[in-house]
């Protein structure tokens, strides 16, 4: 669990950086492709193809294409319709998607009711923190975020269930994860990008460098390694811990107002969800 907590802290700043400095200024397709290329460059020197069978290699590439390649395309465009707090609010359903996808795709017909309860409680906790007045474009933004949530949830579950060996073996194979993401985002960029909105300032390039190497490269390896060490309910509930973390980052760095009472209450509910997910069954 400590790995997932650490990555949550790492990712908390990403929402604000995208919303403040990239959305509307740098084309989303271009930004995603740059991030994926940087992350791939980080892991490519470590790639050892012989460590995985061919079937596992293409499955890992497909997971990367879905979990971050397609997911980021939806996420970046949602920022054109939503504020950062609204984006955080609309991610509250991810725990339910994680639990549902694991149930549907892996035929776990008798998932413990305790795990479903933990995911539902996590949604309630996140809603307490972020339920607020919504902008006029909320429906389009909502649908984009739900598509991103489903991609992210599916990628986590499929990675967790894919046999990849120990942590060292995964490190040497993880370049394939970003091969899939890079190909997907590259095709989308060539088809749909507005090339008049490329990064132009040192600040924009610096943010993309951080997002590519840190948040995407190191972050996704650590998150997926952590996902293999926890149960499905723990993984589901931890998806919503990003909401209070992101709001705190917004307050500390950008001075955006925070309802501390609601944050404390919602955070407490989220902690209850994590406790329910971690509680050992009889």
């Amino acid at each position: 669990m400590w790995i997932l907590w650490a990555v949550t802290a790492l990712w908390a700043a990403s929402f604000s950086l995208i919303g403040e400095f990239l959305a509307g200024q740098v084309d989303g397709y271009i930004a995603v492709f740059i991030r994926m290329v940087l992350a791939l460059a980080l892991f490519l020197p470590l790639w050892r193809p012989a460590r995985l069978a061919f079937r596992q290699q293409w499955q890992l590439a497909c997971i990367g294409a879905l979990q971050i390649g397609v997911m980021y395309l939806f996420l970046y465009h949602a920022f054109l319709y939503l504020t950062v707090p609204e984006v955080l609010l609309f991610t509250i359903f991810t725990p339910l998607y994680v639990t549902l996808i694991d149930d549907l795709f892996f035929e776990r017909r008798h998932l413990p009711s305790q795990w479903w309860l933990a995911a539902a409680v996590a949604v309630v906790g996140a809603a307490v923190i972020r339920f607020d007045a919504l902008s006029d474009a909320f429906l389009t933004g909502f649908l984009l975020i739900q598509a991103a949530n489903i991609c992210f949830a599916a990628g986590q579950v499929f990675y967790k269930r894919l046999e990849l060996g120990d942590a060292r073996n995964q490190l040497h194979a993880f370049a394939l994860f970003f091969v899939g993401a890079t190909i997907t985002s590259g095709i989308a960029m060539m088809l749909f990008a507005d090339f008049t909105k490329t990064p132009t300032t040192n600040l924009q390039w610096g943010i993309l460098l951080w997002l590519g190497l840190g948040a995407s490269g190191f972050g996704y390896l650590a998150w997926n390694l952590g996902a293999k060490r926890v149960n499905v309910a723990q993984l589901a509930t931890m998806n919503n811990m990003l909401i209070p973390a992101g709001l705190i980052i917004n307050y500390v760095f950008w001075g955006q107002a925070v309802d501390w009472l609601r944050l404390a209450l919602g955070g407490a509910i989220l902690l209850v969800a994590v406790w329910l997910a971690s509680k050992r069954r009889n």
Side-chain angles (χ1 to χ4, degrees):
M1 284 291 287
W2 72 267
I3 297 176
L4 300 184
W5 283 105
V7 177
T8 296
L10 178 69
W11 282 346
S14 297
F15 281 94
S16 293
L17 291 173
I18 295 169
E20 292 289 332
F21 300 109
L22 298 181
Q25 302 176 48
V26 177
D27 182 85
Y29 294 105
I30 295 173
V32 171
F33 179 70
I34 292 172
R35 288 184 66 171
M36 298 306 99
V37 169
L38 289 169
L40 176 59
L42 182 66
F43 288 102
L44 206 54
L46 303 173
W47 187 21
R48 302 293 184 271
R51 287 181 175 267
L52 288 180
F54 177 75
R55 181 180 179 183
Q56 292 171 305
Q57 293 188 46
W58 74 257
Q59 286 176 327
L60 182 54
C62 289
I63 291 171
L66 177 65
Q67 185 177 346
I68 50 178
V70 179
M71 182 275 288
Y72 271 136
L73 297 177
F74 288 123
L75 177 64
Y76 268 79
H77 282 76
F79 280 103
L80 300 177
Y81 300 94
L82 303 172
T83 65
V84 171
E86 286 173 344
V87 169
L88 289 168
L89 166 62
F90 289 156
T91 64
I92 64 175
F93 300 103
T94 307
L96 294 181
Y97 296 143
V98 169
T99 310
L100 180 62
I101 290 169
D102 188 74
D103 188 11
L104 290 177
F105 284 88
F106 293 91
E107 299 181 359
R108 298 173 62 85
R109 301 180 185 277
H110 301 290
L111 273 176
S113 58
Q114 172 185 320
W115 289 11
W116 284 102
L117 177 60
V121 170
V123 171
V124 172
V128 167
I129 295 172
R130 264 314 327 157
F131 187 78
D132 209 339
L134 302 175
S135 63
D136 294 337
F138 80 94
L139 181 59
T140 300
F142 176 83
L143 294 176
L144 286 169
I145 289 296
Q146 297 321 301
N149 291 343
I150 291 170
C151 292
F152 187 53
Q156 292 177 76
V157 173
F158 295 156
Y159 189 95
K160 178 177 176 59
R161 299 300 180 185
L162 183 61
E163 292 294 333
L164 294 171
D166 59 18
R168 183 177 180 181
N169 206 61
Q170 292 174 64
L171 174 64
H172 287 302
F174 207 68
L176 289 163
F177 184 82
F178 288 108
V179 167
T182 301
I183 293 173
T184 303
S185 58
I187 293 172
M189 180 185 69
M190 296 304 297
L191 292 175
F192 305 115
D194 179 0
F195 287 96
T196 65
K197 292 185 176 180
T198 57
T200 55
T201 68
N202 290 336
L203 178 61
Q204 290 171 344
W205 279 109
I207 291 171
L208 286 170
L209 189 66
W210 152 253
L211 292 174
L213 299 179
S216 293
F218 173 78
Y220 278 103
L221 173 64
W223 184 269
N224 284 331
L225 287 175
K228 283 189 169 291
R229 301 182 183 185
V230 299
N231 64 43
V232 172
Q234 289 173 311
L235 179 61
T237 55
M238 281 303 298
N239 273 268
N240 268 1
M241 293 308 296
L242 185 63
I243 296 174
L247 291 174
I248 292 172
I249 290 291
N250 256 1
Y251 171 77
V252 172
F253 289 98
W254 316 118
Q256 295 192 11
V258 174
D259 187 330
W260 293 107
L261 177 61
R262 288 172 60 178
L263 180 61
L265 179 60
I269 294 173
L270 285 172
L271 288 174
V272 170
V274 174
W275 173 77
L276 281 171
S278 305
K279 190 177 179 182
R280 187 181 298 275
R281 288 181 293 155
N282 292 331

